[in-house]
Amino acid sequence: MKEKILDKATDMFLTYGFKSITMDDLANEMGISKKTIYTHFENKTKLVENCMDHLSQNISAGITRICTLNKNPIEELYEIKKFVMVNLKDEKSSPQYQLQKYYPKIYKTINQRQFELMQECVKDNMQRGINQGYYRDNLNISFVSRIYFSGVTSIKDPQLFPIEKFPIKTLMDDYLEYHIRGIVTPSGRKVLNEIINSNHE
């Protein structure tokens, strides 16, 4: 039952936001009593914390799995973006911003974990891209990987990028293209253009 509550709560939080979903909403949606939820989670903060842990572990496992497929480094970044977007429900409710605002301690922990995972993943991706001739060999990998993480975090701020002007899917596509165009060689640019063209078909 705990796993079912986690799955449903995570889904609802990502769809409607952390602030708007109450324990009553969750109990009604699942057709169970609030008491059942409180048997597994002592309060809403604990539930949010467990949901974010659960989601973070699922995303980490998925990204690690994609990285073991040894795809072309540029294709790999698009696969990871697609996988994350599906798991975050296209971020319709700006969950990162709400988490930061209403549950800052949980946000800080999750953000640090995301940073560590992305550093490892992006650095590895860049090194392979350089070795295979898709990325420029004069890149400062540590700098670019941090800038990339900083950008991914910043574009999710609805005050900077209001969702009505910048739909999240378009925003993520534009940001990923912006990142890759800054680091590719001519042969990497060719791969990037092929991916973009095939995505538009």
Side-chain angles (χ1 to χ4, degrees):
M1 179 53 80
K2 185 175 183 179
E3 200 73 16
K4 284 183 180 173
I5 294 170
L6 272 178
D7 286 339
K8 178 51 76 176
T10 302
D11 181 61
M12 291 178 77
F13 285 144
L14 291 178
T15 305
Y16 304 107
F18 292 99
K19 175 76 170 151
S20 53
I21 294 298
T22 65
M23 297 299 239
D24 282 315
D25 294 329
L26 180 58
N28 291 338
E29 182 70 21
M30 294 189 72
I32 59 176
S33 69
K34 260 201 312 189
K35 192 178 171 187
T36 306
I37 299 173
Y38 285 120
T39 305
H40 300 284
F41 307 98
E42 60 185 273
N43 52 43
K44 186 179 170 184
T45 301
K46 274 288 172 203
L47 177 62
V48 169
E49 188 178 355
N50 276 261
C51 284
M52 293 315 295
D53 274 342
H54 180 63
L55 180 65
S56 178
Q57 283 166 19
N58 286 348
I59 289 176
S60 293
I63 290 174
T64 302
R65 192 170 59 249
I66 292 167
C67 290
T68 61
L69 299 176
N70 285 325
K71 286 178 171 284
N72 171 302
I74 298 171
E75 288 175 15
E76 180 180 274
L77 289 178
Y78 274 92
E79 278 299 310
I80 289 171
K81 184 214 65 158
K82 199 189 306 177
F83 170 78
V84 170
M85 291 297 289
V86 166
N87 277 270
L88 292 179
K89 311 280 176 197
D90 289 347
E91 306 198 276
K92 294 182 185 73
S93 62
S94 307
Q96 176 186 281
Y97 182 70
Q98 286 201 9
L99 191 67
Q100 189 174 2
K101 188 173 180 183
Y102 300 111
Y103 300 95
K105 281 170 84 172
I106 299 171
Y107 170 79
K108 196 175 175 186
T109 304
I110 295 296
N111 198 50
Q112 183 58 34
R113 200 179 299 160
Q114 282 179 340
F115 173 71
E116 286 162 9
L117 171 70
M118 276 186 68
Q119 283 295 285
E120 195 178 319
C121 181
V122 173
K123 282 180 176 178
D124 175 69
N125 178 280
M126 288 179 69
Q127 193 57 63
R128 281 188 297 110
I130 290 168
N131 295 345
Q132 293 171 25
Y134 295 114
Y135 300 156
R136 291 184 286 112
D137 61 9
N138 63 342
L139 294 171
N140 180 336
I141 292 178
S142 184
F143 169 76
V144 176
S145 63
R146 284 164 187 267
I147 282 288
Y148 181 64
F149 178 79
S150 171
V152 164
T153 307
S154 297
I155 63 172
K156 291 173 184 172
D157 182 344
Q159 291 184 328
L160 272 178
F161 295 96
I163 208 152
E164 59 279 5
K165 282 189 184 175
F166 301 94
I168 193 69
K169 188 183 180 307
T170 311
L171 194 57
M172 292 299 283
D173 281 339
D174 288 348
Y175 182 67
L176 187 54
E177 181 183 344
Y178 171 81
H179 165 70
I180 295 170
R181 284 207 186 278
I183 63 175
V184 286
T185 59
S187 62
R189 193 175 305 117
K190 192 177 168 198
V191 172
L192 174 63
N193 289 337
E194 283 168 4
I195 291 172
I196 290 169
N197 291 336
S198 71
N199 286 345
H200 287 163
E201 284 169 8

XYZ file of all heavy atoms in Angstrom, residues 26-110:
700
model
N -5.817 13.253 -1.749
C -5.152 11.978 -2.031
C -6.008 10.793 -1.580
O -6.185 9.823 -2.321
C -3.775 11.947 -1.338
C -2.937 10.689 -1.527
C -2.661 10.409 -3.003
C -1.614 10.813 -0.753
N -6.556 10.895 -0.365
C -7.400 9.818 0.162
C -8.632 9.610 -0.720
O -8.978 8.471 -1.067
C -7.818 10.150 1.596
N -9.283 10.711 -1.128
C -10.472 10.629 -1.994
C -10.129 10.004 -3.340
O -10.868 9.160 -3.851
C -11.089 12.026 -2.221
C -11.706 12.576 -0.953
O -12.044 11.820 -0.041
N -11.842 13.898 -0.877
N -9.009 10.441 -3.913
C -8.578 9.940 -5.234
C -8.310 8.431 -5.187
O -8.614 7.700 -6.127
C -7.311 10.703 -5.664
C -6.773 10.321 -7.021
C -7.633 10.773 -8.195
O -8.437 11.721 -8.030
O -7.506 10.163 -9.262
N -7.758 7.964 -4.058
C -7.402 6.551 -3.938
C -8.526 5.686 -3.363
O -8.428 4.454 -3.361
C -6.151 6.402 -3.067
C -4.903 6.991 -3.679
S -3.422 6.553 -2.745
C -3.252 4.807 -3.167
N -9.574 6.356 -2.846
C -10.667 5.604 -2.247
C -10.263 4.920 -0.948
O -10.714 3.814 -0.636
N -9.383 5.600 -0.206
C -8.947 5.057 1.099
C -9.149 6.132 2.170
O -9.455 7.282 1.844
C -7.453 4.616 1.075
C -6.545 5.809 0.711
C -7.234 3.451 0.113
C -5.042 5.506 0.755
N -8.966 5.768 3.425
C -9.116 6.765 4.487
C -7.796 7.502 4.703
O -6.721 6.983 4.381
C -9.534 6.076 5.791
O -8.454 5.287 6.276
N -7.930 8.716 5.246
C -6.713 9.483 5.581
C -5.866 8.711 6.590
O -4.644 8.788 6.577
C -7.092 10.850 6.158
C -6.982 11.960 5.135
C -6.845 13.353 5.705
C -7.838 13.705 6.789
N -7.746 15.151 7.126
N -6.544 7.980 7.452
C -5.853 7.210 8.496
C -4.854 6.223 7.870
O -3.752 6.027 8.382
C -6.900 6.458 9.334
C -6.341 5.865 10.618
C -7.443 5.178 11.404
C -6.847 4.395 12.567
N -7.853 3.592 13.252
N -5.269 5.627 6.744
C -4.387 4.677 6.043
C -3.108 5.383 5.580
O -2.006 4.845 5.691
C -5.114 4.055 4.823
O -6.334 3.487 5.267
C -4.268 2.990 4.160
N -3.269 6.605 5.051
C -2.088 7.368 4.597
C -1.189 7.679 5.792
O 0.030 7.498 5.726
C -2.517 8.683 3.888
C -3.374 8.360 2.658
C -1.276 9.491 3.481
C -3.981 9.577 1.976
N -1.810 8.116 6.897
C -1.027 8.485 8.083
C -0.349 7.282 8.749
O 0.593 7.447 9.509
C -1.896 9.243 9.092
C -2.171 10.673 8.683
C -3.478 11.127 8.485
C -1.117 11.574 8.483
C -3.736 12.436 8.106
C -1.371 12.880 8.092
C -2.667 13.309 7.910
O -2.905 14.606 7.526
N -0.812 6.078 8.436
C -0.141 4.863 8.939
C 1.265 4.766 8.347
O 2.200 4.300 8.990
C -0.944 3.595 8.524
O -2.269 3.737 8.989
C -0.342 2.334 9.107
N 1.395 5.232 7.088
C 2.675 5.120 6.377
C 3.491 6.419 6.394
O 4.715 6.388 6.300
C 2.430 4.694 4.925
C 1.741 3.366 4.805
N 2.401 2.169 5.018
C 0.450 3.051 4.518
C 1.548 1.166 4.843
N 0.358 1.674 4.543
N 2.795 7.561 6.484
C 3.475 8.865 6.438
C 2.905 9.749 7.543
O 1.699 10.032 7.531
C 3.274 9.530 5.076
C 3.662 8.653 3.922
C 2.687 7.936 3.238
C 4.985 8.514 3.531
C 3.022 7.103 2.185
C 5.325 7.685 2.473
C 4.355 6.973 1.797
N 3.752 10.213 8.449
C 3.222 10.914 9.624
C 2.593 12.268 9.311
O 1.723 12.740 10.034
C 4.288 11.046 10.715
C 5.526 11.824 10.298
C 6.605 11.835 11.381
O 6.523 12.725 12.241
O 7.484 10.962 11.338
N 3.015 12.911 8.224
C 2.407 14.187 7.824
C 2.693 14.438 6.338
O 3.387 13.655 5.679
C 2.933 15.351 8.680
C 4.461 15.385 8.706
O 5.113 15.212 7.681
N 5.031 15.587 9.886
N 2.168 15.543 5.822
C 2.314 15.829 4.388
C 3.779 16.078 4.015
O 4.234 15.665 2.946
C 1.451 17.042 3.997
C 1.465 17.293 2.488
C 0.604 18.475 2.098
C 0.821 18.844 0.639
N 0.068 20.053 0.250
N 4.525 16.719 4.893
C 5.945 16.980 4.608
C 6.705 15.671 4.397
O 7.515 15.549 3.467
C 6.588 17.800 5.755
O 5.873 19.027 5.889
C 8.051 18.105 5.467
N 6.428 14.683 5.275
C 7.075 13.372 5.135
C 6.667 12.707 3.819
O 7.471 12.052 3.149
C 6.695 12.460 6.310
C 7.597 12.640 7.520
C 8.969 12.030 7.232
C 9.945 12.387 8.354
N 11.347 12.321 7.913
N 5.399 12.867 3.458
C 4.912 12.294 2.202
C 5.631 12.935 1.012
O 6.093 12.239 0.106
C 3.390 12.487 2.086
C 2.751 12.002 0.785
C 2.936 10.500 0.597
C 1.258 12.358 0.739
N 5.732 14.262 1.014
C 6.431 14.977 -0.064
C 7.886 14.509 -0.147
O 8.407 14.221 -1.232
C 6.358 16.513 0.153
C 7.294 17.244 -0.807
C 4.929 17.016 -0.022
N 8.530 14.416 1.014
C 9.934 13.981 1.063
C 10.103 12.585 0.460
O 10.990 12.346 -0.368
C 10.408 13.980 2.520
C 11.888 13.727 2.680
C 12.324 13.772 4.154
O 11.494 14.091 5.029
O 13.488 13.481 4.397
N 9.219 11.675 0.858
C 9.281 10.304 0.334
C 8.971 10.244 -1.155
O 9.599 9.479 -1.894
C 8.306 9.397 1.096
C 8.887 8.863 2.387
O 9.366 7.741 2.454
N 8.874 9.679 3.435
N 8.007 11.051 -1.601
C 7.670 11.107 -3.032
C 8.870 11.578 -3.854
O 9.173 11.018 -4.905
C 6.487 12.047 -3.272
S 4.899 11.354 -2.803
N 9.545 12.617 -3.365
C 10.679 13.159 -4.107
C 11.863 12.190 -4.111
O 12.579 12.083 -5.112
C 11.080 14.531 -3.540
C 10.039 15.616 -3.758
S 9.353 15.651 -5.436
C 10.786 16.106 -6.398
N 12.056 11.481 -3.008
C 13.088 10.431 -2.960
C 12.787 9.352 -3.990
O 13.658 8.928 -4.748
C 13.128 9.770 -1.565
C 14.021 10.532 -0.603
O 14.838 11.333 -1.072
O 13.884 10.340 0.614
N 11.545 8.922 -3.983
C 11.051 7.868 -4.876
C 11.260 8.285 -6.340
O 11.807 7.535 -7.158
C 9.559 7.669 -4.546
C 8.852 6.634 -5.338
N 9.187 5.297 -5.291
C 7.787 6.721 -6.193
C 8.364 4.618 -6.084
N 7.519 5.456 -6.639
N 10.828 9.506 -6.663
C 10.940 10.027 -8.027
C 12.404 10.182 -8.427
O 12.815 9.795 -9.521
C 10.225 11.380 -8.116
C 10.246 12.078 -9.477
C 9.472 11.276 -10.512
C 9.666 13.486 -9.369
N 13.190 10.722 -7.511
C 14.615 10.948 -7.767
C 15.346 9.630 -8.059
O 16.165 9.542 -8.971
C 15.215 11.644 -6.541
O 16.570 11.861 -6.691
N 15.024 8.594 -7.293
C 15.654 7.288 -7.502
C 15.248 6.683 -8.842
O 16.080 6.124 -9.553
C 15.287 6.327 -6.354
C 16.074 6.606 -5.080
C 15.481 5.903 -3.865
O 14.716 4.955 -3.997
N 15.825 6.368 -2.680
N 13.966 6.831 -9.195
C 13.493 6.315 -10.490
C 14.181 7.012 -11.651
O 14.595 6.378 -12.627
C 11.968 6.490 -10.631
C 11.194 5.505 -9.777
O 11.765 4.546 -9.249
N 9.911 5.739 -9.613
N 14.305 8.344 -11.546
C 14.942 9.112 -12.619
C 16.434 8.775 -12.704
O 16.969 8.573 -13.797
C 14.697 10.629 -12.430
C 13.223 10.945 -12.721
C 15.614 11.456 -13.323
C 12.807 12.381 -12.488
N 17.087 8.678 -11.546
C 18.521 8.319 -11.529
C 18.751 6.966 -12.192
O 19.667 6.807 -13.006
C 19.044 8.236 -10.090
O 19.034 9.500 -9.499
N 17.899 5.992 -11.849
C 18.037 4.640 -12.413
C 17.825 4.669 -13.926
O 18.556 4.024 -14.687
C 17.039 3.694 -11.748
N 16.832 5.447 -14.363
C 16.544 5.551 -15.801
C 17.678 6.205 -16.571
O 18.060 5.742 -17.649
N 18.227 7.283 -16.006
C 19.344 7.979 -16.663
C 20.574 7.072 -16.726
O 21.242 6.986 -17.759
C 19.665 9.306 -15.930
C 18.541 10.312 -16.155
C 21.002 9.883 -16.408
C 18.667 11.607 -15.380
N 20.850 6.370 -15.633
C 21.992 5.442 -15.602
C 21.812 4.371 -16.675
O 22.769 4.013 -17.380
C 22.112 4.775 -14.207
O 22.258 5.826 -13.233
C 23.313 3.859 -14.127
N 20.568 3.878 -16.816
C 20.286 2.838 -17.827
C 20.538 3.382 -19.237
O 21.149 2.711 -20.073
C 18.841 2.367 -17.677
C 18.501 1.109 -18.455
C 17.140 0.546 -18.079
N 16.062 1.489 -18.307
C 15.348 2.076 -17.354
N 15.606 1.831 -16.078
N 14.381 2.916 -17.644
N 20.083 4.608 -19.499
C 20.286 5.221 -20.825
C 21.785 5.380 -21.098
O 22.253 5.121 -22.201
C 19.553 6.580 -20.933
C 18.038 6.368 -20.931
C 19.972 7.343 -22.193
C 17.209 7.620 -20.722
N 22.538 5.781 -20.065
C 23.986 6.005 -20.229
C 24.748 4.703 -20.516
O 25.843 4.748 -21.061
C 24.572 6.686 -18.985
S 24.025 8.403 -18.801
N 24.177 3.549 -20.137
C 24.879 2.273 -20.390
C 24.630 1.768 -21.814
O 25.223 0.782 -22.232
C 24.421 1.165 -19.402
O 23.010 0.943 -19.576
C 24.695 1.539 -17.965
N 23.746 2.444 -22.564
C 23.412 1.973 -23.913
C 24.472 2.362 -24.953
O 24.409 1.938 -26.099
C 22.042 2.530 -24.350
C 20.847 2.113 -23.488
C 19.574 2.814 -23.960
C 20.651 0.593 -23.516
N 25.419 3.208 -24.527
C 26.502 3.665 -25.424
C 25.994 4.263 -26.736
O 26.482 3.942 -27.809
C 27.479 2.508 -25.726
C 28.372 2.240 -24.535
O 28.760 3.162 -23.817
N 28.676 0.976 -24.296
N 25.007 5.111 -26.614
C 24.489 5.804 -27.796
C 25.464 6.908 -28.206
O 26.373 7.253 -27.457
C 23.141 6.467 -27.460
C 21.984 5.494 -27.330
C 20.716 6.251 -26.943
C 19.502 5.348 -27.027
N 19.050 5.098 -28.395
N 25.238 7.463 -29.384
C 25.949 8.680 -29.773
C 25.677 9.716 -28.672
O 24.527 9.855 -28.229
C 25.357 9.129 -31.125
C 25.821 10.497 -31.560
O 25.629 11.476 -30.848
N 26.410 10.560 -32.713
N 26.714 10.429 -28.175
C 26.529 11.347 -27.038
C 25.423 12.393 -27.225
O 24.742 12.754 -26.258
C 27.895 12.027 -26.904
C 28.855 11.090 -27.539
C 28.110 10.389 -28.627
N 25.222 12.856 -28.458
C 24.181 13.865 -28.710
C 22.795 13.211 -28.609
O 21.885 13.744 -27.975
C 24.392 14.549 -30.080
C 25.735 15.291 -30.077
C 23.245 15.513 -30.403
C 26.166 15.838 -31.419
N 22.656 12.037 -29.223
C 21.393 11.285 -29.113
C 21.087 10.972 -27.650
O 19.929 11.030 -27.219
C 21.476 9.968 -29.898
C 21.443 10.130 -31.399
C 21.649 8.790 -32.105
O 21.537 7.740 -31.452
O 21.932 8.816 -33.307
N 22.128 10.634 -26.894
C 21.963 10.289 -25.484
C 21.315 11.439 -24.712
O 20.400 11.224 -23.907
C 23.315 9.941 -24.869
C 23.257 9.556 -23.399
C 24.637 9.213 -22.851
O 25.056 8.056 -22.988
O 25.307 10.118 -22.308
N 21.762 12.669 -24.953
C 21.198 13.831 -24.251
C 19.718 13.999 -24.572
O 18.911 14.341 -23.699
C 21.964 15.107 -24.611
C 23.383 15.230 -24.047
C 24.037 16.516 -24.517
C 23.384 15.183 -22.516
N 19.334 13.753 -25.830
C 17.919 13.850 -26.210
C 17.094 12.738 -25.573
O 15.953 12.959 -25.145
C 17.771 13.853 -27.742
C 17.903 15.243 -28.315
C 19.146 15.724 -28.739
C 16.809 16.102 -28.403
C 19.283 17.012 -29.238
C 16.938 17.391 -28.902
C 18.173 17.840 -29.314
O 18.304 19.125 -29.786
N 17.666 11.536 -25.490
C 16.965 10.405 -24.846
C 16.726 10.698 -23.361
O 15.654 10.423 -22.824
C 17.806 9.122 -24.968
C 17.671 8.411 -26.301
C 16.251 7.948 -26.594
O 15.644 7.296 -25.724
O 15.749 8.269 -27.682
N 17.759 11.241 -22.701
C 17.640 11.571 -21.272
C 16.568 12.642 -21.071
O 15.720 12.535 -20.191
C 18.997 12.031 -20.686
C 19.944 10.827 -20.598
C 18.819 12.678 -19.305
C 21.380 11.188 -20.231
N 16.599 13.665 -21.919
C 15.600 14.746 -21.806
C 14.189 14.187 -21.955
O 13.285 14.487 -21.172
C 15.862 15.816 -22.878
C 14.938 17.018 -22.765
C 14.597 17.611 -24.101
C 13.795 16.639 -24.908
N 12.988 17.212 -25.966
N 13.990 13.304 -22.958
C 12.676 12.704 -23.206
C 12.219 11.880 -21.990
O 11.090 11.988 -21.532
C 12.768 11.797 -24.440
C 11.409 11.490 -25.075
C 11.500 10.424 -26.169
C 12.508 10.744 -27.247
N 12.613 9.659 -28.243
N 13.127 11.086 -21.456
C 12.817 10.232 -20.303
C 12.432 11.074 -19.077
O 11.439 10.801 -18.404
C 14.022 9.342 -19.970
C 13.889 8.595 -18.671
C 13.106 7.455 -18.583
C 14.527 9.046 -17.525
C 12.960 6.779 -17.374
C 14.390 8.383 -16.313
C 13.597 7.238 -16.240
N 13.202 12.123 -18.815
C 12.942 12.977 -17.644
C 11.608 13.699 -17.798
O 10.822 13.782 -16.846
C 14.104 13.981 -17.424
C 13.736 15.017 -16.368
C 15.380 13.242 -17.011
N 11.321 14.192 -19.002
C 10.064 14.905 -19.229
C 8.854 14.000 -18.982
O 7.862 14.419 -18.387
C 10.004 15.462 -20.661
C 10.980 16.586 -20.931
S 10.681 18.049 -19.939
C 9.184 18.672 -20.667
N 8.934 12.752 -19.428
C 7.835 11.799 -19.212
C 7.638 11.573 -17.710
O 6.519 11.581 -17.203
C 8.119 10.459 -19.931
C 7.174 9.363 -19.456
C 8.004 10.632 -21.439
N 8.743 11.406 -16.987
C 8.658 11.131 -15.550
C 8.227 12.340 -14.737
O 7.702 12.192 -13.637
C 9.990 10.586 -15.037
C 10.105 9.099 -15.279
O 9.717 8.297 -14.457
N 10.600 8.726 -16.445
N 8.448 13.530 -15.266
C 8.036 14.741 -14.552
C 6.709 15.290 -15.079
O 6.343 16.423 -14.786
C 9.127 15.821 -14.653
C 10.424 15.514 -13.907
C 11.424 16.648 -14.096
C 10.180 15.301 -12.421
N 6.002 14.481 -15.882
C 4.676 14.869 -16.407
C 4.747 16.187 -17.174
O 3.819 17.011 -17.101
C 3.654 15.034 -15.267
C 3.612 13.891 -14.287
C 2.820 12.764 -14.855
C 2.845 11.561 -13.930
N 2.444 10.339 -14.603
N 5.836 16.430 -17.867
C 6.052 17.686 -18.598
C 6.013 18.917 -17.693
O 5.873 20.039 -18.143
C 5.037 17.862 -19.738
C 5.318 16.883 -20.875
O 6.399 16.282 -20.882
O 4.452 16.725 -21.743
N 6.092 18.674 -16.378
C 6.189 19.748 -15.383
C 5.103 20.826 -15.541
O 5.361 22.012 -15.489
C 7.584 20.381 -15.433
C 8.674 19.346 -15.294
C 10.005 19.929 -14.913
O 10.728 20.370 -15.793
O 10.301 19.943 -13.720
N 3.874 20.383 -15.705
C 2.749 21.313 -15.936
C 2.554 22.296 -14.779
O 2.091 23.395 -14.951
C 1.455 20.526 -16.142
C 1.438 19.675 -17.401
C 0.097 18.958 -17.543
C 0.093 17.997 -18.717
N 0.883 16.779 -18.470
N 2.905 21.870 -13.565
C 2.583 22.702 -12.399
C 3.815 23.389 -11.788
O 3.766 23.831 -10.660
C 1.921 21.834 -11.326
O 2.834 20.823 -10.911
N 4.916 23.482 -12.552
C 6.175 24.042 -12.022
C 6.548 23.419 -10.676
O 6.728 24.130 -9.682
C 6.073 25.559 -11.848
O 5.663 26.168 -13.027
N 6.657 22.077 -10.608
C 6.874 21.432 -9.306
C 8.171 21.853 -8.624
O 8.197 22.007 -7.406
C 6.897 19.931 -9.634
C 7.179 19.850 -11.091
C 6.600 21.087 -11.696
N 9.219 22.073 -9.413
C 10.498 22.444 -8.795
C 10.357 23.771 -8.041
O 10.828 23.907 -6.912
C 11.593 22.575 -9.858
C 12.911 23.064 -9.268
C 13.953 23.334 -10.335
O 14.578 22.423 -10.834
N 14.130 24.595 -10.687
N 9.696 24.736 -8.677
C 9.526 26.052 -8.067
C 8.672 25.952 -6.800
O 8.976 26.564 -5.778
C 8.881 26.995 -9.088
C 8.705 28.399 -8.580
C 9.814 29.227 -8.380
C 7.439 28.902 -8.285
C 9.656 30.519 -7.898
C 7.276 30.186 -7.807
C 8.384 30.992 -7.621
O 8.223 32.265 -7.146
N 7.594 25.154 -6.865
C 6.728 24.983 -5.686
C 7.467 24.264 -4.555
O 7.310 24.615 -3.392
C 5.481 24.177 -6.067
C 4.507 24.983 -6.878
C 3.105 24.402 -6.824
O 2.816 23.491 -6.060
N 2.234 24.934 -7.642
N 8.258 23.275 -4.929
C 9.029 22.543 -3.915
C 9.997 23.505 -3.222
O 10.129 23.512 -2.000
C 9.804 21.391 -4.579
C 10.443 20.365 -3.645
C 9.388 19.562 -2.901
C 11.344 19.414 -4.430
N 10.654 24.328 -4.018
C 11.626 25.301 -3.492
C 10.946 26.300 -2.543
O 11.487 26.665 -1.510
C 12.262 26.041 -4.680
C 13.426 26.925 -4.312
C 14.093 27.499 -5.564
O 13.671 27.271 -6.678
N 15.150 28.250 -5.364
N 9.724 26.704 -2.902
C 9.014 27.723 -2.138
C 8.414 27.170 -0.834
O 8.526 27.787 0.217
C 7.897 28.311 -3.014
C 7.197 29.507 -2.405
C 6.224 30.121 -3.400
C 5.513 31.316 -2.791
N 4.520 31.895 -3.713
N 7.785 25.994 -0.917
C 7.032 25.479 0.242
C 7.780 24.415 1.059
O 7.458 24.196 2.218
C 5.689 24.907 -0.223
C 4.821 25.942 -0.910
C 4.560 25.878 -2.271
C 4.282 27.012 -0.188
C 3.777 26.834 -2.913
C 3.506 27.977 -0.814
C 3.257 27.887 -2.172
O 2.494 28.844 -2.793
N 8.767 23.762 0.423
C 9.531 22.721 1.133
C 11.023 22.908 0.854
O 11.664 22.068 0.216
C 9.070 21.317 0.685
C 7.611 21.055 0.957
C 6.648 21.271 -0.028
C 7.187 20.594 2.203
C 5.303 21.048 0.231
C 5.841 20.365 2.467
C 4.911 20.594 1.478
O 3.581 20.369 1.738
N 11.585 24.052 1.292
C 12.966 24.396 0.925
C 14.023 23.357 1.330
O 14.993 23.145 0.605
C 13.209 25.745 1.612
C 12.114 25.901 2.615
C 10.958 25.101 2.128
N 13.841 22.717 2.497
C 14.844 21.737 2.941
C 14.855 20.508 2.027
O 15.911 19.997 1.652
C 14.570 21.313 4.394
C 15.064 22.351 5.407
C 14.575 22.051 6.806
C 15.480 21.034 7.491
N 15.101 20.891 8.935
N 13.650 20.060 1.667
C 13.552 18.907 0.762
C 14.136 19.290 -0.598
O 14.883 18.522 -1.212
C 12.081 18.444 0.610
C 11.524 18.002 1.968
C 11.971 17.317 -0.411
C 10.023 17.720 1.977
N 13.805 20.498 -1.070
C 14.317 20.973 -2.357
C 15.843 20.970 -2.372
O 16.467 20.522 -3.342
C 13.792 22.384 -2.646
C 14.469 23.027 -3.839
C 14.093 22.696 -5.136
C 15.513 23.937 -3.660
C 14.726 23.258 -6.223
C 16.154 24.504 -4.750
C 15.758 24.160 -6.030
O 16.402 24.705 -7.104
N 16.433 21.470 -1.292
C 17.893 21.565 -1.215
C 18.551 20.184 -1.326
O 19.533 19.995 -2.048
C 18.281 22.235 0.110
C 19.712 22.726 0.144
C 19.993 23.496 1.429
C 21.465 23.861 1.501
N 21.815 24.480 2.770
N 17.985 19.210 -0.610
C 18.521 17.841 -0.643
C 18.403 17.237 -2.039
O 19.361 16.669 -2.569
C 17.744 16.938 0.357
O 17.825 17.532 1.650
C 18.315 15.538 0.403
N 17.216 17.376 -2.643
C 16.980 16.807 -3.978
C 17.846 17.501 -5.022
O 18.415 16.875 -5.914
C 15.473 16.930 -4.364
C 14.614 16.070 -3.427
C 15.230 16.548 -5.814
C 14.847 14.580 -3.496
